Amino acid sequence: MDQDVAGVEQRWAVVNRRGPYVLLLVGAVLAVPTAGMVGMGRGDWYAVGGLVAAGLALQVWWGTVADTPIGPSGTSICYYSVRWVIAFALTWINPLFSFYAFTGYFGARRLLPRRLRSAGLFATAVTMSGAQSGGLPPSGRAQWLLFGAVLAVTLALVAVSDRVFATEDERARVQAATIAELERTNTALQQALDENASLHAQLLVQAREAGVADERRRLAAEIHDTLAQGLTGIIAQLQVVANAPDLDIARTHLERASDLARHSLGEARRSVHNLTPVALEHDGLPEALKKTVAEWGERVGVRAEFTVTGTVEQLHAEVSATLLRIVQEALSNAARHAAATRVGVTLSYLGDEVILDIRDDGQGFDPLATLPRTGTGGFGLDGMRARAARVAGSLTVESEPGNGTALSARVPLVRHE
């Protein structure tokens, strides 16, 4: 669109530069065969020659001073006025020089300011009407009436044309402003796209780094929940073997240690491949928790009970794995720190959420106190909170020294698809 506007401007520039030359030449050529018809004498020819030369000189001067002026100025007003005087004088001598006088129409808007434009167009209309009504000056009443009628019609046409040109100029101005605004918008849009591309690249890097960090935390938590707990159980069984009074007891505890080693190995492989925990491979969450609690109680010699309330739902694998890992970590903590004699685990299905409660009658602790990190590097409560948060859940802790501990994990009930 901007190329079309530029093309129109270039064509108008050519007309303004060459049009007066062409029309002055046309008037001069037509004046030769019509000189006798309009009564041109020797003196008229001298005047025509001088005026034509003045017109040519004026155009040459104008081409060097201001070929295509940006807007009206004092120089352009002077140029327009002198050109009209030359055209009026030539038309007075021979009406066919009105071709040259016609240049006053298409030059007025570019050469004259708004306050002088009407006067310039009126002067040009007077020259053209005089030529069209038989020449200047009109002779006789009839020619004066004809001159007046032609002038009135010409002025009406000029007014209409001026309105049309004004509308076109306004449209061109609005169009140019719209194009400029679109260019600015496109520039801003391109800058935004470049910034978005840069931001996208940064987000990809951050997402990749976050994914790596999250995978490291997952593996660390999985190793802690599986290998560390399994090795702890194996050590406990081997300690019993070392102090066993007879071979049968030692063999029993060795078998338990072997089973724990095989179980831990399977969990390690599944942790690496991010697979479902062994306990959930063939059983649902309630059955897996029941077995886990029973095996733990038998292994550590603590009375452990498991209860299910509500309507059992088949949960999403990630939710089931999260709750199982929380129970495993809580039981491991109870075995190492609580010195409990009784542990209870309750799994409750409550409409749109699942609640997992783990209680013990152990020695308890102050939840607000900063717990010292042990040499085992356990993940403890922070690890369980992180697991719950990963599935949009939460973990609360209630405990006080000497009165046991109660953990409650609440997660959304997301069904298995």
Side-chain angles (χ1 to χ4, degrees):
M1 187 177 295
D2 53 346
Q3 293 179 352
D4 294 340
V5 174
V8 172
E9 292 295 328
Q10 290 177 358
R11 288 191 289 272
W12 268 113
V14 172
V15 171
N16 288 324
R17 183 172 62 253
R18 299 179 181 177
Y21 286 106
V22 175
L23 295 178
L24 182 58
L25 178 61
V26 170
V29 170
L30 294 177
V32 174
T34 60
M37 298 173 58
V38 297
M40 290 178 58
R42 182 181 298 273
D44 294 329
W45 277 112
Y46 285 130
V48 167
L51 291 171
V52 169
L56 292 175
L58 178 66
Q59 293 304 135
V60 172
W61 169 80
W62 179 246
T64 58
V65 173
D67 190 9
T68 53
I70 298 176
S73 63
T75 304
S76 66
I77 295 173
C78 179
Y79 163 72
Y80 186 91
S81 301
V82 173
R83 191 181 65 181
W84 177 83
V85 170
I86 295 173
F88 181 81
L90 287 171
T91 305
W92 187 285
I93 297 172
N94 190 321
L96 291 177
F97 275 107
S98 60
F99 285 100
Y100 178 58
F102 184 77
T103 56
Y105 284 143
F106 61 76
R109 301 190 63 84
R110 295 175 177 272
L111 301 175
L112 299 178
R114 185 179 297 274
R115 68 180 186 278
L116 298 177
R117 192 174 302 160
S118 297
L121 291 173
F122 177 79
T124 301
V126 169
T127 305
M128 297 297 297
S129 299
Q132 293 168 355
S133 61
L136 294 171
S139 59
R141 182 178 179 182
Q143 191 173 357
W144 272 105
L145 291 175
L146 179 61
F147 169 76
V150 173
L151 179 61
V153 174
T154 302
L155 290 176
L157 293 176
V158 167
V160 173
S161 299
D162 188 62
R163 179 62 61 88
V164 171
F165 279 120
T167 303
E168 288 298 316
D169 286 348
E170 179 64 18
R171 185 186 65 83
R173 187 190 64 79
V174 172
Q175 188 179 62
T178 302
I179 292 172
E181 181 64 25
L182 287 175
E183 290 177 349
R184 290 192 294 269
T185 303
N186 288 336
T187 301
L189 179 60
Q190 186 60 46
Q191 292 176 350
L193 290 175
D194 294 339
E195 293 175 358
N196 286 340
S198 176
L199 180 60
H200 181 67
Q202 294 177 6
L203 290 177
L204 287 178
V205 173
Q206 293 176 0
R208 185 161 52 248
E209 293 176 350
V212 171
D214 186 68
E215 184 64 12
R216 288 175 177 173
R217 288 192 295 269
R218 184 189 69 81
L219 286 175
E222 291 290 339
I223 291 173
H224 171 264
D225 292 343
T226 57
L227 290 181
Q229 294 181 20
L231 291 174
T232 300
I234 292 172
I235 291 172
Q237 297 301 322
L238 292 179
Q239 288 176 344
V240 174
V241 171
N243 300 318
D246 56 58
L247 186 61
D248 290 338
I249 296 177
R251 183 178 293 107
T252 299
H253 287 282
L254 281 174
E255 290 177 354
R256 291 179 180 178
S258 178
D259 291 339
L260 282 173
R262 284 192 293 270
H263 177 82
S264 298
L265 179 61
E267 288 287 3
R269 289 171 177 170
R270 284 164 174 76
S271 297
V272 172
H273 296 288
N274 197 23
L275 299 177
T276 304
V278 174
L280 294 173
E281 190 171 10
H282 302 293
D283 297 324
L285 180 61
E287 292 79 8
L289 289 178
K290 182 177 181 180
K291 291 180 181 179
T292 299
V293 172
E295 291 174 357
W296 177 85
E298 183 181 355
R299 185 169 65 251
V300 300
V302 175
R303 180 181 175 184
E305 298 177 350
F306 174 72
T307 306
V308 180
T309 63
T311 302
V312 176
E313 300 273 2
Q314 188 175 5
L315 302 178
H316 190 277
E318 184 68 20
V319 176
S320 297
T322 296
L323 294 177
L324 177 62
R325 294 307 190 198
I326 289 176
V327 169
Q328 289 174 336
E329 174 66 13
L331 293 177
S332 177
N333 289 341
R336 291 198 302 269
H337 308 298
T341 61
R342 183 175 179 180
V343 174
V345 178
T346 302
L347 179 66
S348 303
Y349 293 86
L350 298 177
D352 58 351
E353 67 178 357
V354 180
I355 301 177
L356 180 67
D357 296 308
I358 307 165
R359 305 167 306 281
D360 68 64
D361 61 353
Q363 60 187 11
F365 64 97
D366 183 3
L368 300 179
T370 302
L371 298 178
R373 292 188 63 85
T374 64
T376 60
F379 284 78
L381 296 176
D382 290 340
M384 287 186 278
R385 287 193 180 97
R387 286 187 180 278
R390 195 175 300 166
V391 292
S394 61
L395 180 79
T396 58
V397 180
E398 295 181 2
S399 181
E400 63 181 45
N403 289 319
T405 301
L407 304 180
S408 180
R410 307 173 74 97
V411 298
L413 196 157
V414 182
R415 295 176 176 82
H416 177 73
E417 297 179 354

